[in-house]
Structure formats: structure tokens, C-alpha cells
């Protein structure tokens, strides 16, 4: 006889949050390759033009890698509260550096002798890599929060950090603040942020840009999340099909 309380009990959430070593290596190699392509395009451009145009993208891409590294460490140290909290905070602090590369599109303009189409491909390669690095960082933190506090809290957390990321991009692009300024000049940075929060009407550009940037990041992240969900469902379907085939042969 089946116990009715067990029959209606929801299945436990999978406690495994860490990415397997093969998956981690695949992600690392693919993103490294994408980064190498962008750097190679910058190098090829320098060989042709003998100008240092777009070299700043290489530095911005290096900063875009930081939140992903801290996100992996947060997953690894999730059972050690102090290390986890430190890594999670650093991940969120440096997270705006990843999608910040989208705003580097402002540098696009004809720069002979290199054709404009080459520069478009060059900048877009950095933009795409930066977005992937950022969204993967958000995904790891999103999954941690969802497994600990439920899927609703996970999505609220994701929306909040993407909102803060949008505001962080504004601080970097328009006001030229950096993530490390929180440690170097925390008083000045805190005073400016408080001024924006207290006087939003006097800082319309900050408010409007942050809102539109947040909407863009959130909608794009939903597409990224849907692709990961589709991949997991495909893997689950393939695994179940394999088990069914094996069961048929055993019978």
C-alpha cells in the first residue's frame, strides 16, 4: 500500500549546484576561444593600420572575466559562509564590467585604412563575449539563490542585480567611475550614488538609462536562460530515451 503523504510530496530539488569538470572546461575553452578571436582581430587591425584603436576593448574584456571567476568561486565555497559571501559580493561588484562592453559600440566610426565592416565585426565580437561572460555569471548566482530560497526569490534576485548592473554601467560610461573605486574612494562614490537616489529628477539620464539598460539585460538574460533550459530538457529527454531502450532490451 502506498503512503498517501509520500505520494503527494513534491520531489526534492536537486542539491547539485556545481558544474561538472567537463562542463566547466567546455565553458572555459569556448569563452577563451571567443576572447582570443577578439584579441586577434585587434592585433590584425594594428598590423594593417599601425594604430592602437580599440586596444581598450582588450582591457575591458579582461575585466569582464572577473565576475565569472568570482561566481565559480562562490559556487565552490557555498558551504563556507565567509568565503561565499566575499566571492558573491565581488562577483556583483564587478558584474557591470561584462555587459559594459555593449556601450563600446559608441567608438564605432570609419577609421581608414581599415574598412568599417571589419571594425563592426571586431567590436561585436567583444560585445557578444562580454554578454556571455556576464550572463553566465548571473546564471550561476541565480541558480544558487533559486536552490536555496525558491524560484520566485531567484528571479527577484536576478532582476535586482541586473538593475544594479544597469546602474553600474551608467556610472562607468557616463560618470567614469570604476568598480575598484568602492575601495579607493568609497566616500565620494557613495555620496554620488546617494545624490542620484535622493534627487532622481535632477539625474534623469541616470534613471532613464538605467531603466532601459535593465530592461535590455533582463530580456536578453531570459533568452539566455531559455536556451540553457532547452539544453537541460534535451539532455533529460535523451537520458530517459536511453533508459527506456535499455529497459526494453533487458525485457
Amino acid at each position: 500500500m502506498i503512503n498517501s503523504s509520500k505520494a503527494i510530496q513534491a520531489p526534492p530539488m536537486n542539491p547539485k549546484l556545481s558544474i561538472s569538470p567537463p562542463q566547466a572546461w567546455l565553458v572555459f575553452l569556448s569563452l577563451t576561444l571567443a576572447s582570443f578571436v577578439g584579441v586577434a582581430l585587434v592585433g590584425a587591425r594594428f598590423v594593417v593600420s599601425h594604430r592602437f584603436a580599440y586596444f581598450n576593448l582588450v582591457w575591458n574584456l579582461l575585466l569582464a572575466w572577473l565576475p565569472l571567476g568570482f561566481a565559480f568561486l562562490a559556487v565552490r565555497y557555498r558551504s563556507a559562509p565567509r568565503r561565499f559571501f566575499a566571492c558573491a559580493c565581488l562577483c556583483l561588484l564587478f558584474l557591470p564590467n561584462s555587459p559594459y562592453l555593449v556601450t563600446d559600440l559608441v567608438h564605432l566610426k570609419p577609421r581608414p585604412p581599415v574598412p568599417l565592416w571589419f571594425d563592426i565585426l571586431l567590436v561585436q565580437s567583444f560585445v557578444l563575449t562580454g554578454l556571455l561572460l556576464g550572463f553566465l555569471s548571473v546564471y550561476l548566482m541565480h541558480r544558487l539563490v533559486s536552490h536555496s530560497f525558491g524560484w520566485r526569490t531567484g528571479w527577484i534576485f536576478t532582476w535586482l542585480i541586473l538593475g544594479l548592473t544597469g546602474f553600474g554601467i551608467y556610472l562607468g560610461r557616463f560618470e567614469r567611475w570604476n568598480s575598484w573605486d568602492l575601495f579607493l574612494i568609497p566616500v565620494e562614490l557613495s555620496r554620488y550614488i546617494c545624490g542620484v537616489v535622493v534627487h532622481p529628477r535632477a539625474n534623469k539620464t541616470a534613471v532613464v538609462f538605467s531603466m532601459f539598460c535593465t530592461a535590455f539585460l533582463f530580456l536578453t538574460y531570459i533568452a539566455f536562460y531559455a536556451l540553457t533550459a532547452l539544453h537541460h530538457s534535451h539532455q533529460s529527454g535523451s537520458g530517459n530515451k536511453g533508459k527506456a531502450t535499455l529497459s526494453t532490451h533487458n525485457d
Side-chain angles (χ1 to χ4, degrees):
M1 184 176 179
I2 300 176
N3 191 329
S4 58
S5 61
K6 292 184 178 180
I8 61 176
Q9 186 177 4
M13 186 174 292
N14 183 10
K16 185 178 180 181
L17 294 174
S18 59
I19 296 178
S20 64
Q23 289 177 324
W25 274 110
L26 179 61
V27 170
F28 175 77
L29 291 176
S30 60
L31 291 175
T32 300
L33 178 60
S35 301
F36 175 78
V37 169
V39 175
L41 290 176
V42 173
R45 194 187 193 287
F46 174 76
V47 171
V48 173
S49 65
H50 302 288
R51 297 176 182 176
F52 291 94
Y54 300 113
F55 266 66
N56 63 304
L57 296 179
V58 179
W59 170 248
N60 291 343
L61 182 62
L62 178 62
L63 294 177
W65 272 89
L66 293 180
L68 181 60
F70 289 125
F72 271 111
L73 289 176
V75 173
R76 179 177 181 180
Y77 295 127
R78 63 186 181 276
S79 58
R82 291 184 179 179
R83 293 182 180 182
F84 166 76
F85 184 75
C87 293
C89 289
L90 289 173
C91 174
L92 300 181
L93 177 62
F94 286 95
L95 182 59
N97 291 285
S98 298
Y100 176 86
L101 283 159
V102 175
T103 65
D104 283 321
L105 290 169
V106 300
H107 299 303
L108 272 175
K109 64 179 180 179
R111 300 171 188 261
V114 178
L116 181 60
W117 62 261
F118 183 89
D119 287 342
I120 292 175
L121 292 176
L122 185 154
V123 176
Q124 291 286 9
S125 67
F126 281 89
V127 170
L128 179 60
T129 305
L131 285 175
L132 290 175
L133 289 168
F135 287 150
L136 182 56
S137 305
V138 174
Y139 176 76
L140 292 175
M141 300 304 297
H142 179 187
R143 191 166 63 165
L144 273 174
V145 174
S146 295
H147 278 259
S148 300
F149 303 102
W151 68 270
R152 290 186 179 88
T153 304
W155 277 108
I156 293 173
F157 168 81
T158 300
W159 178 78
L160 288 176
I161 63 173
L162 289 178
L164 293 174
T165 298
F167 181 61
I169 294 173
Y170 168 82
L171 293 177
R173 172 53 62 190
F174 290 89
E175 304 299 334
R176 311 311 296 170
W177 293 99
N178 298 302
S179 298
W180 49 88
D181 287 335
L182 184 63
F183 304 105
L184 299 179
I185 45 176
V187 176
E188 290 83 350
L189 178 57
S190 300
R191 184 183 296 116
Y192 177 80
I193 294 176
C194 289
V196 174
V197 174
V198 175
H199 304 288
R201 293 185 178 181
N203 298 274
K204 291 183 179 179
T205 301
V207 175
V208 175
F209 177 87
S210 299
M211 290 176 59
F212 275 94
C213 191
T214 300
F216 166 75
L217 292 175
F218 187 71
L219 293 175
T220 312
Y221 175 75
I222 290 176
F224 174 86
Y225 186 89
L227 290 175
T228 60
L230 181 64
H231 175 69
H232 288 314
S233 64
H234 174 73
Q235 283 187 329
S236 300
S238 300
N240 293 335
K241 183 178 179 180
K243 291 180 180 179
T245 304
L246 181 62
S247 175
T248 302
H249 289 319
N250 289 338
D251 292 341

